[in-house]
Amino acid sequence: MKTILIVEDTHAERQMSSALLSHAGFNVAVAASAEAAWEWLNNNPSPNLILLDIVMPGESGLDLCRKIRERDEWKEIPILFCSSKAEEFDRFWAMRQGGNEYITKPYVPQNLVDKVNQFAS
């Protein structure tokens, strides 16, 4: 079973994404901050994909993405940004930091599942 790490500070968003992806057949791990995600990554087998919010208290999703891409063992993990930041520049910048895809909130649930299926190896 493929594991998806959801990094999202909003409880409702975390719950919704987790339920959606669990229902689609994925094993889901959640982290409420970039710092918690970093700790999770250091203490668990690598996930098949990271679903990453950008705006969070403390370290941002962009910061976490850059840190992940610096580690040889994680640089190939697909990172799907999921953010309410909808400007083209936000998408461009997220992709420059190492993201593989960018979805804006609110999203169509099936679109999220399709993107995760597309990128989770």
Side-chain angles (χ1 to χ4, degrees):
M1 185 180 284
K2 294 177 180 176
T3 299
I4 310 302
L5 174 59
I6 298 172
V7 186
E8 168 64 59
D9 62 314
T10 306
H11 179 74
E13 289 280 343
R14 232 179 11 254
Q15 292 282 96
M16 185 176 71
S17 299
S18 179
L20 188 62
L21 294 175
S22 292
H23 184 72
F26 294 100
N27 180 38
V28 176
V30 295
S33 68
E35 295 83 1
W38 186 255
E39 186 174 321
W40 189 92
L41 285 165
N42 278 291
N43 292 295
N44 292 279
S46 294
N48 297 90
L49 181 139
I50 299 170
L51 184 63
L52 184 55
D53 189 16
I54 292 177
V55 180
M56 296 182 283
E59 192 172 46
S60 76
L62 297 172
D63 294 332
L64 178 61
C65 182
R66 280 191 300 273
K67 283 174 55 176
I68 289 169
R69 293 298 183 232
E70 290 172 358
R71 297 277 294 265
D72 285 341
E73 68 269 29
W74 298 335
K75 65 178 158 190
E76 299 301 320
I77 298 171
I79 295 177
L80 199 158
F81 280 103
C82 188
S83 177
S84 57
K85 295 171 72 74
E87 298 296 321
E88 190 56 38
F89 178 77
D90 298 315
R91 174 186 298 273
F92 169 80
W93 192 243
M95 303 308 271
R96 291 270 300 159
Q97 305 312 301
N100 297 89
E101 185 59 87
Y102 193 98
I103 295 177
T104 54
K105 299 176 199 171
Y107 52 79
V108 176
Q110 189 59 50
N111 186 35
L112 177 67
V113 172
D114 290 346
K115 290 293 181 186
V116 169
N117 273 316
Q118 179 185 346
F119 285 96
S121 53

